[in-house]
Every structure is written in structure tokens, then in C-alpha cells.
Amino acid sequence: MATALPTTDPIISALIAELGCAQPERDATARDPATAPLDDRDADGLLNSLRALAPLIRFYANDPDMATGNWLPYLPAGSVAAVNASADGTTDNAAGGVAPHHALILAFLRQLARPQALLNQFTAEHLQFQMQQLLGFKPRPPQPDRAHLVLELKKGAAPLAITADQRFTAGKDALKVEQLFAPLRSTVVGHAQVARLASIVRDGQRLLFAPVANSADGLGAPLDKTAPRWPPFGRNTLPSAPIGFALASSVLRLAEGERSISLK
């Protein structure tokens, strides 16, 4: 009987301060310790670090007093994925696989991922210790999600009462659980519509108005397509409103003679 308008509607976007209702939309990513790991190198980054370090390490082949080079020639060329493909036989390799010392390096890089993960947990553990152990902050209990719905009756439908017993579905979440929202208060959806949006605001001794409030200048200019927002309660850059008054009374229905009327 009723349909909900999306929050991408320009009017809804301007009236709702915070459109997000899901937890990821409310959390700031900058506060997540995972955004600043102590060691963010992947397998290729670790291999490149070894390549940068290898020329500084001397290699002794036979004589312990005479270096014959460094360790760079003994590192695999290319990316880790290419070396893994050679080891798995998924690429053509005339040598028939990968060199033993290259395989040892790959195994070392895979094992290094475990202590690297433990190292990257240090930031989160340090933050938790500071906030909860030293400062005494405790996590707040879970808060229910909130959603803003605009309901509109279909053509020819009778007015519909929306009560707290009804539910609106928002689809399924990542765990395949249907998300249901309950109205906070009862209301009746009728056929009344907003024909025009206007606003008036007082700025000191001036009275300003916007005959087309949902526009860029209050007079009907189109909104910015990249940010279609407008102030619903006006602003001090609006034009001055024409001020006047009108009188209506049955005693003013004069048809005969010449009369004088005084107004106080």
C-alpha cells in the first residue's frame, strides 16, 4: 500500500543531518587501529626489503677471508606470485620448478606473516589498554540502527495507519539475516502532498524569504548536482521579503453613500 523513498532524494538528503544508519557508516575509519599497521608490507614488499638488504651482506663461497660477492644473486627475480606459479607448475619453467634456496625464501616469507600479524595487533592492544585500563572507559552497549522512511500512498489507495506493530524490511545483511525496522510512533499516511517548499527567516531587523526553498538561491536556481543540499530554515543571503498586510471584515462591505473609515 505504501512505498518508501530512498535517502538519495534531494529533499530527504537536505533534511537529514546524518544519512547513515549502518554501523560502518557511523564509525570513523581513522579510529580503527588496522588503518595504521606497524608493518604493512605484503609478501612482495618483504621480498623487496630482502633485495635492498642483500647487496649489503657479503657472500663467502670457499675462502672465509675472501668475499666473492653479495647475496642479491641468490634471491628470486620477479614477484612472489610468479615464483609461486613456477613452484606449482602453473607456468612454463625449463628448470622444472623452483630452485631449493628460492623455495626456502618463500617458506620463510609465509612463516613471517604470523609474527607480522602479531606485531600489527600491538596498536589495538595498546589503545585498549590506555582507554579501558588506565582511563577506565568501557564500551557502550549496542545501539539499534535507525532509518528514515518517507511513505507515499499508491494512486487510489485509502489512507493507511502506520503503527508500532508493523515492520519494514531493509533486506538481508552480510550474515543473510533479514533487517527489520519498527516505527517509533504511530502515524497516518494520507493523500496530502507538499506542493511547494518555501521558507522565511528573520535576520536582525530584516525579514528574508525563499519562495523556492529547495533551490540554490531560494528563487529557483538549480542545485549543485555533486552536492544537492539546501538549508531548510533559510539563510542570511536570501532576498528581502516584501512586507504588507490585508484587512477583511463584514463592516467593510459598503455599497451606498460616502463613508470615512479610521483604523487604529
Side-chain angles (χ1 to χ4, degrees):
M1 297 295 292
T3 58
L5 297 179
T7 54
T8 54
D9 186 272
I11 297 178
I12 303 177
S13 300
L15 294 179
I16 301 176
E18 298 179 0
L19 297 178
C21 64
Q23 188 67 35
E25 296 173 343
R26 295 198 299 264
D27 289 341
T29 56
R31 294 199 300 263
D32 185 3
T35 59
L38 296 179
D39 188 358
D40 60 350
R41 294 174 298 175
D42 55 6
D44 287 325
L46 294 171
L47 183 57
N48 290 332
S49 297
L50 291 178
R51 290 177 181 145
L53 182 62
L56 305 178
I57 303 177
R58 297 178 180 179
F59 178 77
Y60 297 87
N62 299 316
D63 189 352
D65 297 327
M66 182 63 67
T68 58
N70 56 51
W71 282 86
L72 184 59
Y74 299 96
L75 296 180
S79 64
V80 173
V83 180
N84 285 330
S86 299
D88 297 336
T90 55
T91 59
D92 297 333
N93 193 337
V98 66
H101 55 286
H102 290 175
L104 290 175
I105 292 178
L106 293 179
F108 168 75
L109 294 180
R110 292 180 181 179
Q111 294 297 323
L112 189 59
R114 297 182 180 181
Q116 186 183 36
L118 294 176
L119 176 64
N120 288 333
Q121 291 179 2
F122 173 79
T123 305
E125 294 177 355
H126 177 71
L127 178 62
Q128 182 179 8
F129 176 80
Q130 291 288 334
M131 300 300 292
Q132 298 187 19
Q133 300 297 327
L134 294 184
L135 299 180
F137 290 106
K138 299 298 181 183
R140 295 182 61 184
Q143 300 294 322
D145 289 336
R146 298 173 62 93
H148 300 271
L149 295 181
V150 176
L151 303 179
E152 182 180 17
L153 287 176
K154 292 183 178 179
K155 184 177 181 180
L160 177 66
I162 304 298
T163 65
D165 297 331
Q166 293 172 307
R167 297 294 182 268
F168 295 89
T169 178
K172 295 183 178 181
D173 57 11
L175 300 177
K176 306 300 182 181
V177 178
E178 188 176 10
Q179 302 176 84
L180 298 176
F181 288 81
L184 295 179
R185 59 184 180 272
S186 299
T187 186
V188 176
V189 181
H191 290 283
Q193 295 182 351
V194 178
R196 184 167 61 93
L197 295 174
S199 63
I200 188 169
V201 60
R202 182 174 180 178
D203 183 27
Q205 298 298 322
R206 299 188 306 159
L207 196 63
L208 311 178
F209 83 126
V212 186
N214 53 334
S215 62
D217 58 355
L219 301 176
L223 298 173
D224 187 359
K225 295 182 179 181
T226 60
R229 299 178 180 274
W230 51 275
F233 302 106
R235 55 184 179 272
N236 56 8
T237 58
L238 294 176
S240 298
I243 301 176
F245 64 91
L247 296 176
S249 176
S250 59
V251 300
L252 298 178
R253 297 177 180 176
L254 308 179
E256 301 293 339
E258 184 175 346
R259 316 288 179 87
S260 296
I261 300 175
S262 299
L263 176 66
K264 294 183 180 180

